[in-house]
Amino acid sequence: MKLKEKDFAVNHMGTVTIIPEEPDDIWILYNIINPGDYVTADTSRKVHHQLNDAKTTTASRVKLSIHLKVTCRDFHKDSSTLRIHGRNLEPNDYIAVGSFHTLTLERNKPFELHKKLWKDDVVEALQERENHEACPDAELAVILFQQDHAEIYLIGKGITAMVSKVETSSSRSGGRNSSSSSPSSSNSKNVFFREVFTAFIKHVDLNKVKNTVIASEDSKKDEFRRFMISEAKRMKMRRIEENIGRIVVAAGGDCNGNLKDLLGEGTVMNLMKDSKVGLQIRALKKVWDMVSSDSDRACYGPKSVKSAQEMGAIETLLISDELYRSNEVAIRKRHGCLVKAVRESGGDALVYSSMHVMAEQLQQLTGIAAILRFPLPVIDDEDDDDAY
């Protein structure tokens, strides 16, 4: 995310020009743009023109700038766009003042955001995104072979995205294939591997992505890595040859074709040990294992977590951004205070994007959990609405 013409400060009125660059930038914007804010952006509208004979009309698209007072907004995960609905505040030749319109915020499209009051968590969120590297680097690429297809994922910066899915020829033909030992089967596998390799080259920049993991429940992972090395040499692809040491094979036998299970495998965790994503995955896996074994060193649910913080017991807080950046003022404020209190007491606070690979698992723990410094008695977590 790029910030330009910055004229804002915590607890003051201000304006900034924002250029979102990554899908997670759009998600952050969804959480920080609220009803009552002001958004200005360029757009286009279809305009009808009446000709001289008054019976014939033509249509054309004109570019214009719209200044909206936000009434609501909708996040579209599949396209990573944000639709802003509101009233137009400035007159122009095509749109009346006070009329309702919609702006679509998307990657690499600048817009201006004005707030009457910039809260500290909003400023912090913007600054955190701005301090990320400009290019959308992923921390890890995963090639996960299933029985009849391969999935390629990019993982990092709170986002997990499947960037490609490549089907086998037998899958595309409805399952009609020959014996696995036949020459035609061998040729089909090479065709399939070549398609996976092409998709990998298209979507993964090894100059930016730190590591790549190849996984399957059978021998495909090892066969594909050998194919990749051979193909890179044949095509003289130096970036593959120079980075082949960072392309590793995971056991995969225990992952059941599941990405979440694969990310908990030892080889993969070791690759991500120093990354933010790795820290988040390890923390959630640790909480999940503790809760499953009824450990008194972990808790989840608003009431239990609140009690743990009051006793200074939280070592690591895990919270979904649906709670931390809720559009409900009261919910957002109390969770913001909780995160601040945990950090001030020397603990860690990890905020999980809804697009994180482990987001669903955290949601099963109500969206908030904690690893504790010392054991606490079990707290009945009913009546969570009154927890804070």
Side-chain angles (χ1 to χ4, degrees), residues 13-25:
M13 181 186 299
T15 305
V16 63
T17 297
I18 301 174
I19 306 176
E21 297 178 304
E22 305 175 32
D24 207 30
D25 292 343

PDB file of all heavy atoms in Angstrom, residues 13-25:
ATOM      1  N   MET A  13      -8.702  15.487  12.643  1.00  0.00           N
ATOM      2  CA  MET A  13      -9.273  15.387  11.312  1.00  0.00           C
ATOM      3  C   MET A  13      -8.141  15.336  10.297  1.00  0.00           C
ATOM      4  O   MET A  13      -7.078  15.914  10.520  1.00  0.00           O
ATOM      5  CB  MET A  13     -10.165  16.619  11.043  1.00  0.00           C
ATOM      6  CG  MET A  13     -10.837  16.625   9.678  1.00  0.00           C
ATOM      7  SD  MET A  13     -11.729  18.186   9.379  1.00  0.00           S
ATOM      8  CE  MET A  13     -12.921  18.142  10.721  1.00  0.00           C
ATOM      9  N   GLY A  14      -8.344  14.639   9.178  1.00  0.00           N
ATOM     10  CA  GLY A  14      -7.284  14.586   8.194  1.00  0.00           C
ATOM     11  C   GLY A  14      -7.644  13.815   6.944  1.00  0.00           C
ATOM     12  O   GLY A  14      -8.682  13.155   6.859  1.00  0.00           O
ATOM     13  N   THR A  15      -6.743  13.907   5.960  1.00  0.00           N
ATOM     14  CA  THR A  15      -6.964  13.316   4.640  1.00  0.00           C
ATOM     15  C   THR A  15      -5.686  12.642   4.162  1.00  0.00           C
ATOM     16  O   THR A  15      -4.578  13.088   4.475  1.00  0.00           O
ATOM     17  CB  THR A  15      -7.373  14.403   3.622  1.00  0.00           C
ATOM     18  OG1 THR A  15      -8.521  15.101   4.116  1.00  0.00           O
ATOM     19  CG2 THR A  15      -7.701  13.795   2.267  1.00  0.00           C
ATOM     20  N   VAL A  16      -5.843  11.558   3.392  1.00  0.00           N
ATOM     21  CA  VAL A  16      -4.700  10.873   2.804  1.00  0.00           C
ATOM     22  C   VAL A  16      -5.122  10.280   1.465  1.00  0.00           C
ATOM     23  O   VAL A  16      -6.274   9.872   1.284  1.00  0.00           O
ATOM     24  CB  VAL A  16      -4.170   9.767   3.745  1.00  0.00           C
ATOM     25  CG1 VAL A  16      -5.220   8.694   3.973  1.00  0.00           C
ATOM     26  CG2 VAL A  16      -2.890   9.148   3.191  1.00  0.00           C
ATOM     27  N   THR A  17      -4.186  10.252   0.526  1.00  0.00           N
ATOM     28  CA  THR A  17      -4.408   9.557  -0.743  1.00  0.00           C
ATOM     29  C   THR A  17      -3.806   8.170  -0.632  1.00  0.00           C
ATOM     30  O   THR A  17      -2.642   8.013  -0.248  1.00  0.00           O
ATOM     31  CB  THR A  17      -3.764  10.319  -1.911  1.00  0.00           C
ATOM     32  OG1 THR A  17      -4.396  11.604  -2.031  1.00  0.00           O
ATOM     33  CG2 THR A  17      -3.952   9.560  -3.219  1.00  0.00           C
ATOM     34  N   ILE A  18      -4.604   7.152  -0.949  1.00  0.00           N
ATOM     35  CA  ILE A  18      -4.215   5.758  -0.755  1.00  0.00           C
ATOM     36  C   ILE A  18      -4.206   5.035  -2.098  1.00  0.00           C
ATOM     37  O   ILE A  18      -5.131   5.176  -2.903  1.00  0.00           O
ATOM     38  CB  ILE A  18      -5.181   5.046   0.214  1.00  0.00           C
ATOM     39  CG1 ILE A  18      -5.191   5.755   1.576  1.00  0.00           C
ATOM     40  CG2 ILE A  18      -4.816   3.570   0.367  1.00  0.00           C
ATOM     41  CD1 ILE A  18      -6.229   5.199   2.538  1.00  0.00           C
ATOM     42  N   ILE A  19      -3.152   4.246  -2.314  1.00  0.00           N
ATOM     43  CA  ILE A  19      -3.084   3.382  -3.488  1.00  0.00           C
ATOM     44  C   ILE A  19      -2.919   1.944  -3.005  1.00  0.00           C
ATOM     45  O   ILE A  19      -1.816   1.525  -2.638  1.00  0.00           O
ATOM     46  CB  ILE A  19      -1.911   3.760  -4.420  1.00  0.00           C
ATOM     47  CG1 ILE A  19      -1.976   5.239  -4.807  1.00  0.00           C
ATOM     48  CG2 ILE A  19      -1.942   2.892  -5.691  1.00  0.00           C
ATOM     49  CD1 ILE A  19      -0.797   5.703  -5.635  1.00  0.00           C
ATOM     50  N   PRO A  20      -3.998   1.166  -2.950  1.00  0.00           N
ATOM     51  CA  PRO A  20      -3.872  -0.245  -2.541  1.00  0.00           C
ATOM     52  C   PRO A  20      -3.148  -1.037  -3.609  1.00  0.00           C
ATOM     53  O   PRO A  20      -3.348  -0.811  -4.811  1.00  0.00           O
ATOM     54  CB  PRO A  20      -5.334  -0.696  -2.394  1.00  0.00           C
ATOM     55  CG  PRO A  20      -6.120   0.243  -3.247  1.00  0.00           C
ATOM     56  CD  PRO A  20      -5.383   1.548  -3.260  1.00  0.00           C
ATOM     57  N   GLU A  21      -2.280  -1.971  -3.179  1.00  0.00           N
ATOM     58  CA  GLU A  21      -1.478  -2.739  -4.129  1.00  0.00           C
ATOM     59  C   GLU A  21      -1.683  -4.245  -4.021  1.00  0.00           C
ATOM     60  O   GLU A  21      -1.379  -4.982  -4.944  1.00  0.00           O
ATOM     61  CB  GLU A  21       0.011  -2.436  -3.920  1.00  0.00           C
ATOM     62  CG  GLU A  21       0.372  -0.980  -4.189  1.00  0.00           C
ATOM     63  CD  GLU A  21       1.836  -0.700  -3.926  1.00  0.00           C
ATOM     64  OE1 GLU A  21       2.302  -0.973  -2.799  1.00  0.00           O
ATOM     65  OE2 GLU A  21       2.506  -0.215  -4.841  1.00  0.00           O
ATOM     66  N   GLU A  22      -2.196  -4.714  -2.891  1.00  0.00           N
ATOM     67  CA  GLU A  22      -2.332  -6.146  -2.656  1.00  0.00           C
ATOM     68  C   GLU A  22      -3.743  -6.456  -2.186  1.00  0.00           C
ATOM     69  O   GLU A  22      -4.448  -5.569  -1.687  1.00  0.00           O
ATOM     70  CB  GLU A  22      -1.327  -6.618  -1.609  1.00  0.00           C
ATOM     71  CG  GLU A  22       0.112  -6.280  -1.929  1.00  0.00           C
ATOM     72  CD  GLU A  22       1.037  -6.663  -0.800  1.00  0.00           C
ATOM     73  OE1 GLU A  22       0.735  -7.653  -0.112  1.00  0.00           O
ATOM     74  OE2 GLU A  22       2.048  -5.974  -0.602  1.00  0.00           O
ATOM     75  N   PRO A  23      -4.187  -7.715  -2.315  1.00  0.00           N
ATOM     76  CA  PRO A  23      -5.524  -8.079  -1.837  1.00  0.00           C
ATOM     77  C   PRO A  23      -5.753  -7.731  -0.370  1.00  0.00           C
ATOM     78  O   PRO A  23      -6.839  -7.281   0.002  1.00  0.00           O
ATOM     79  CB  PRO A  23      -5.578  -9.599  -2.068  1.00  0.00           C
ATOM     80  CG  PRO A  23      -4.669  -9.818  -3.223  1.00  0.00           C
ATOM     81  CD  PRO A  23      -3.535  -8.830  -3.030  1.00  0.00           C
ATOM     82  N   ASP A  24      -4.719  -7.927   0.472  1.00  0.00           N
ATOM     83  CA  ASP A  24      -4.902  -7.634   1.888  1.00  0.00           C
ATOM     84  C   ASP A  24      -5.043  -6.137   2.151  1.00  0.00           C
ATOM     85  O   ASP A  24      -5.617  -5.734   3.153  1.00  0.00           O
ATOM     86  CB  ASP A  24      -3.734  -8.202   2.702  1.00  0.00           C
ATOM     87  CG  ASP A  24      -4.154  -8.524   4.124  1.00  0.00           C
ATOM     88  OD1 ASP A  24      -5.338  -8.857   4.333  1.00  0.00           O
ATOM     89  OD2 ASP A  24      -3.315  -8.439   5.029  1.00  0.00           O
ATOM     90  N   ASP A  25      -4.507  -5.301   1.246  1.00  0.00           N
ATOM     91  CA  ASP A  25      -4.723  -3.857   1.369  1.00  0.00           C
ATOM     92  C   ASP A  25      -6.215  -3.540   1.277  1.00  0.00           C
ATOM     93  O   ASP A  25      -6.723  -2.696   2.022  1.00  0.00           O
ATOM     94  CB  ASP A  25      -3.977  -3.105   0.263  1.00  0.00           C
ATOM     95  CG  ASP A  25      -2.466  -3.175   0.423  1.00  0.00           C
ATOM     96  OD1 ASP A  25      -2.005  -3.515   1.522  1.00  0.00           O
ATOM     97  OD2 ASP A  25      -1.764  -2.884  -0.560  1.00  0.00           O
TER      98      ASP A  25
END
